[in-house]
Amino acid sequence: MANIAILASGNGSNFEALADTFDNDKENEIRLLIYDRKKAFVSQRARRNNIPAYYLNFSKEKKDMSDSTLIKLFNENKIDIIVLAGFMRILSKFVLENIKVPIVNIHPALLPKYKGLNAIERAFHSTDQRIGITIHYVVEEVDSGEIILQKSIKLRRSKGLEQVIKDIHKLEHKWYPYVIKKLCVNLNSRKNL
Ligand code: GRF
């Protein structure tokens, strides 16, 4: 059994895709969601899916406390893998050093291109022929960890930016659950050794 924690900040469409995938999974479980914006729609999605959700305040004054709470929640829930799904914060060095399980992120661009914010927009306004997503491990430097999977599609600018954004999200919702599930299977087979 692999226990999954998801960290998110906003809409949570990737969270939902993951929740759907793991809903009837007897081997693995999404144990909790942590979100850092009080009004994040992802918290409603968690409620609807009966997944415990915890709001943590990472503002400057509360950061140290929230970092410790984060680690405590991971330990108490015996978390095996941490999945960032639109989490708009950089995990602190303290957190990264104290977490001994894999942390995975999804980025809506073909890294190492377009690290950081507004990646789809920047790719759309480039001269690139293809656009895509990257699923990668998290390290201290943003959007720079080892790449697990990349998927791309032809960039059809004539469709307009909005449609391209939708196409990218579709790609994310297909491949993020697929990768996380595979990683869980690998973790489980290691546990069974
Ligand atoms: C996704 O595009 C993801 O790649 C990026 O943030 C976005 C989150 O979308 N890291 P959602 O909240 O999952 O709908």
Side-chain angles (χ1 to χ4, degrees), residues 104-121:
V104 183
N105 184 40
I106 185 160
H107 186 72
L110 295 168
L111 292 173
K113 280 186 161 182
Y114 312 115
K115 294 180 180 181
L117 296 176
N118 305 318
I120 308 177
E121 286 82 346

Side-chain angles (χ1 to χ4, degrees), residues 65-78:
M65 207 175 78
S66 292
D67 275 357
S68 306
T69 310
L70 195 68
I71 292 165
K72 201 168 143 232
L73 280 169
F74 292 153
N75 289 337
E76 282 173 0
N77 287 279
K78 301 195 172 5

Side-chain angles (χ1 to χ4, degrees), residues 1 27 185-193:
M1 162 73 96
E27 294 294 313
V185 170
N186 290 349
L187 285 169
N188 289 330
S189 61
R190 241 175 280 160
K191 271 189 195 173
N192 293 334
L193 283 181

